[in-house]
Amino acid sequence: MSGQTNCPSVDSRWNSAALDDSGSQKWYKPIVSVNVDNSGNRHIYKAFRFSRGLLGNYFRFLASHEFRMLRRVEHLDFTPDQVSRPSDVSPTVHYRLIEGRPIKNVAESGNVPGGFFSRLFSDVKTLHQHGVAHMDLGNSGNILVSEHGDPAIIDFGSAIPLSWLPSSVRAWACRKDIVGVLKLWYRFDRGSMPLFLQHYYESNYRKNIYTPKRFLKALRRWLWGGADTDGVSGLTIVISVFFSLLVLVSFT
C-alpha cells in the first residue's frame, strides 16, 4: 500500500456536553465537547480558544496538523474516523467519538480484557506501517478500551509522519511508541507480558525529563534557589524564561 512505512520490530459513556471543565482549564488546552449529528452519531469537537493573531495562527496549525494525521489513519479499526474541519480559518477539528473508557480506569477495576495489550502492540505496528508515529502512547488517557474490549488510540496532536524522517529518526520514533505501549502493559497487566518484552522495556524505558512542565520546575529551582514559588505568577515565569533564553543565546 502506498504511504506505508516499515519500522524496526522489537461500560460507561460520555455525556453530550463539554468533556473538559473549560473554566479551570489551561488557556492553551483545547475545549473538547461532544456533538450529536442528525443520525444520532456522536462526534468529538475540539476547539482552541484563539483564532486571531499569532496565537490563532499557531492553534490553526495544531488543528490542521492533527487533522492531517487523523486523515492518514482514519481507515484503521482502532483510530477515530469521520474526521473533518469546519473551516481552515478556525482552529478546530472534528471526528467520530469512540465509545470507551481510558485503560487506566479499566485497570483500576481489574477488568483489563484478555490479550488487550498484545492487540495494542500489534495495532501500533500497523499504525507505523501506515506512516504515522503517535509519540504519546505512554499517556494512559490516549488508550481506550472500546465497548467490545478492543484497544483504541486517540489524540493525534503529537503524531508525526514517518515518511518525512531520516531512517535513524524514524527508528527512534517507532521505538518511542513501542516503549510507550510497554510502559502501560508493564504498569497495568504485567502478568500477561512476555518476559522478553519486560526485559526490552526495562532496558529501553527512560523517564521523559524534557516536558515543558518539568523544564519550568527546573528553571524555577535555578532562578529562586528552591524557594517556594507557588505564588509566582505565570507572567513572571514567562518573563524569566524569556530573559533566561536571551542569556543562553548570548553565549552561543
Side-chain angles (χ1 to χ4, degrees):
M1 175 180 227
S2 61
Q4 290 190 345
T5 306
N6 293 323
C7 284
S9 339
V10 266
D11 179 56
S12 63
R13 298 173 178 267
W14 301 110
N15 293 323
S16 296
L19 295 181
D20 296 324
D21 182 1
S22 58
S24 60
Q25 195 181 15
K26 301 293 186 181
W27 60 269
Y28 54 84
K29 295 284 189 180
I31 300 171
V32 181
S33 59
V34 175
N35 292 309
V36 182
D37 63 19
N38 294 331
S39 302
N41 299 315
R42 299 199 288 175
H43 296 257
I44 289 289
Y45 183 96
K46 182 184 289 188
F48 289 93
R49 288 172 167 78
F50 300 92
S51 59
R52 297 181 181 179
L54 290 176
L55 280 177
N57 289 334
Y58 172 66
F59 288 133
R60 280 196 297 274
F61 165 77
L62 292 184
S64 176
H65 174 74
E66 184 166 6
F67 170 75
R68 290 195 301 270
M69 295 299 98
L70 284 167
R71 285 298 301 271
R72 282 174 175 253
V73 297
E74 66 174 337
H75 60 285
L76 301 176
D77 293 337
F78 52 87
T79 58
D81 59 10
Q82 300 180 24
V83 186
S84 65
R85 288 193 68 200
S87 168
D88 289 341
V89 299
S90 175
T92 61
V93 60
H94 300 176
Y95 48 86
R96 186 176 63 87
L97 173 71
I98 297 179
E99 302 283 0
R101 299 169 61 199
I103 181 59
K104 179 179 180 180
N105 296 348
V106 174
E108 286 174 349
S109 61
N111 294 321
V112 177
F116 177 86
F117 282 105
S118 60
R119 294 198 300 275
L120 177 62
F121 190 86
S122 176
D123 288 344
V124 170
K125 289 189 174 183
T126 300
L127 189 74
H128 294 162
Q129 290 169 4
H130 286 81
V132 172
H134 186 279
M135 302 301 291
D136 196 19
L137 292 178
N139 181 347
S140 60
N142 292 335
I143 305 299
L144 302 183
V145 181
S146 76
E147 293 182 311
H148 304 291
D150 297 318
I153 301 173
I154 62 171
D155 197 350
F156 281 73
S158 301
I160 56 175
L162 291 170
S163 58
W164 296 1
L165 302 178
S167 58
S168 59
V169 181
R170 187 185 311 141
W172 167 81
C174 292
R175 185 168 60 251
K176 178 175 172 59
D177 273 3
I178 292 298
V179 172
V181 172
L182 296 181
K183 172 188 172 183
L184 300 182
W185 197 344
Y186 190 86
R187 178 181 177 187
F188 296 128
D189 195 19
R190 192 182 310 179
S192 71
M193 192 175 188
L195 191 58
F196 79 95
L197 288 180
Q198 290 191 35
H199 290 161
Y200 182 87
Y201 167 73
E202 291 166 350
S203 301
N204 289 275
Y205 175 69
R206 299 290 182 274
K207 188 172 183 178
N208 183 11
I209 62 171
Y210 301 108
T211 63
K213 185 175 181 180
R214 289 176 182 149
F215 171 76
L216 285 177
K217 284 184 177 179
L219 184 63
R220 289 176 189 175
R221 288 194 297 269
W222 177 63
L223 291 174
W224 286 282
D228 182 13
T229 58
D230 290 341
V232 178
S233 70
L235 180 59
T236 301
I237 293 173
V238 170
I239 293 173
S240 300
V241 171
F242 175 75
F243 281 105
S244 299
L245 291 174
L246 283 182
V247 171
L248 290 174
V249 169
S250 66
F251 287 101
T252 59

